[in-house]
Every structure is written in C-alpha cells, then in structure tokens.
Amino acid sequence: MNFGLYSRGGSIIATSGGWHSIAIQVLLQAQKELLDYRGLGISVLEMSHRSAHFIKIANTAENDLRELLKIPENYKVIFLQGGGTGQFSAVPLNLIGLKEERSADYVVTGAWSANAAKEAEKYGKVNIVHPKLDAYRTIPNPSNWNLNPNASYIFYCANETVHGVEFPFIPDIKGTVLVCDMSSSFLSKPVDVSKFGLIFAGAQKNIGCAGVTVVIIREDLLGYALKECPVIFDYKVQGSCSSLYNTPAIYSIYIMGLVLQWIKNSGGAETMGQNCAVKSKLIYDVIDGSNGFYVSLAASTCRSRMNIPIRIGSADGDNVLETEFVDKAAENNMISLKGHRSVGGIRISLYNAVTVEETQKLADFMVNFMKERCA
C-alpha cells in the first residue's frame, strides 16, 4: 500500500488509499463545515448540485485550477466520475475517431498504461510504440518509438504508482494529439498544458478524495465521440453543461476545491515541485547509501518522485525482513507501507500533503532499521 503522513494529536499517522492528498488543514476545514456550510444550516452533503451555492463551489475550484496550471482559455475543464479507469474508456470513446483509421499509439511503462491500452483495444487499433518490456523499470528511448502517423492520439501515463516509474520529460510527438494520465503526479510540479490535447487525473492522490476526476481537454477535440460512447463520458456534452449533465460528485468536488486553495496558499505547483524533489531525495539517498540493503527497482533515470517501491536485501526481496519493516513501522505510527499486491515489497508514496519533516522521520526510521539488522 501507499504511505502518506499528516500530524494528528502529536503522532505521525500514515494512511493508505486516496487520503494522501489531503492536508490536515483541509480536513479541519471540512470538519468545521460538515454540519453547517458557511451558515446555510445544511452540509455540502445535502446540497443540490443545481444550487447557486454548489455552482459557486465548482466554479471556484475550476478557476483555482486554471490559475494553478495556467490553463489556456481554449481548454475545457470538466469534473467527471469513474476515476482514471473510467477515462481509460472515455479517452478512446471520445478521441479514437479523430481520424478515419480509428487507431491510437500507447506507451506502456507500467500497470496503469497497460490497462489503458487493453481497454482502448475495444474501440480501435492500438499500437504499442516500443518493444514489450520484460519488467516495468524504465522508459523506452523515444528515438526508438514506432509512431503511427495516422494515429488519432498518443497516450502515456506520467507516473506509474505500482512500479515507481515516472516520465522526467514530456514526449515530443510531432503534432499528434498527446493524451496523459496524470492521476498520481497532478499538481506535483508545474506543467505546460498547451503541449497536451487532453490531461486527466483522478483526485485521490494529490488534489482530494476519491469520487471526482479532472479532465482538461483542448476545445477543438470535442465532438468526435463514437456513437457507442455513454453520454456521461461524452466530453462535449459534459463540457457544454459545466459538468452538470448528471449529478456530479458534490462532496468530492468541494474537498478538491479546499485542497486547491491549500496548494495556492502553500506556494502553488512550483512549491509542490520543490518539496517533492526534497522529499524523494531524502528517501533515495537512504536507498543509495544502504550498500544494497534497500533496493530501488526503477532505473535511476526515471525514478518516481511520488511512489518509491523498494525491496530489502535484493531485487527479489526478503519477505521476513520486509514483514518486520512493515510491522516495526506500524509500531511507530507509520502504517500501510506494504507494497502493491501485484509486486510485493514496500512502497512509499510522497504525495503533496506529506511534509518534508515527516519524510525525514521515515528516512531516519529506514536508517535505524538497517543498522539494527546489519549489526
């Protein structure tokens, strides 16, 4: 599982799932407003999505997001449901018909981009632009990508949470529509939105709780949905209705709005990026200085700043030591460090709400654990 920290009652608490993205300040604000939202006498949970109060919440969230990412005016911002997995279907349903061939290029560097490519095969021809990887530990050299000039778009995942591989660059795709799943790295650093045709991100990593997914799409790409596209996934329909064609995830949008305000007040995407670099360096320095006790699985050129899978003892891991590590960490109020079920080991996730100080506590724990086992 993932590792996320915030301070509560003097303890350091690590949490799993989607709550890594929520700073304690946001949780306290939500707690304060849970029963009575700003004097209305009702909770946001009870609020109509057609009410002026919720529309203001949604509009403020969109405006803050546009400001944080400097989103150009010719892009729509849509708040949808279904998570990133829903977008694995929605992307081809909306975009694979851009060209008559109904084909798309996919860069597959981990579990999530592999799932996205598999889903897209239901709606058209999928071209994996590089030879199949034996293990998801690196990013294939773009100079060797076999791009289809007739592809409607090229898809990649900016950060693979399971395998800890992150793109350190934006692919140069020579005029083809670039689509990116940024779910686990969204707003962890500045990004030039104008280089993309479409960006999507589930909120539950860096900008809120599960339930809402952000889609940012260039307006000239709207209106190409396949006839079999469900209307709730039709970007043109949802964009023309300000994400209100059907009842949206009201409370999740509210929480996302609070997180976006917290990011703004904390220095924006630039500060998030600086903190992210410091935090990941703290952990990788321990790994690299451990003389092989901790093993990082991803290639050094594409190590994730967000998700750090490690094994203890070797690339295959020592199950006894790894179990001891997880149990000992839990005794120190650092929980959910067990690796993803498909790869095992340990996984550390350093989303925006995790502070540098909290990351230092984990780094210190890792050093002490190693010294005790190597004495």
Side-chain angles (χ1 to χ4, degrees), residues 155-274:
F155 179 104
Y156 78 106
C157 178
N159 179 74
E160 293 280 2
T161 60
V162 175
H163 295 90
V165 172
E166 182 176 10
F167 272 76
F169 61 90
I170 297 174
D172 180 6
I173 38 74
K174 300 176 176 61
T176 305
V177 174
L178 185 61
V179 175
C180 186
D181 174 1
M182 289 190 186
S183 293
S184 54
S185 58
F186 195 60
L187 275 173
S188 68
K189 62 180 180 180
V191 63
D192 185 353
V193 173
S194 69
K195 292 186 177 181
F196 298 86
L198 185 149
I199 294 169
F200 69 85
Q204 67 271 16
K205 302 300 183 184
N206 271 320
I207 58 167
C209 61
V212 60
T213 303
V214 173
V215 172
I216 303 171
I217 182 170
R218 207 172 64 223
E219 291 182 349
D220 65 294
L221 301 177
L222 298 170
Y224 293 92
L226 304 180
K227 64 180 181 358
E228 56 265 43
C229 179
V231 68
I232 60 169
F233 278 166
D234 188 319
Y235 297 145
K236 183 177 181 180
V237 171
Q238 289 284 11
S240 65
C241 295
S242 301
S243 309
L244 297 175
Y245 177 82
N246 61 308
T247 305
I250 293 174
Y251 199 74
S252 296
I253 292 172
Y254 157 71
I255 292 292
M256 180 180 66
L258 294 182
V259 174
L260 293 175
Q261 291 171 21
W262 170 75
I263 292 174
K264 281 180 60 177
N265 294 335
S266 300
E270 292 80 4
T271 297
M272 296 298 110
Q274 293 164 8

Side-chain angles (χ1 to χ4, degrees), residues 137-149:
R137 297 182 177 179
T138 190
I139 294 172
N141 189 327
S143 64
N144 297 324
W145 292 1
N146 181 27
L147 299 175
N148 177 4

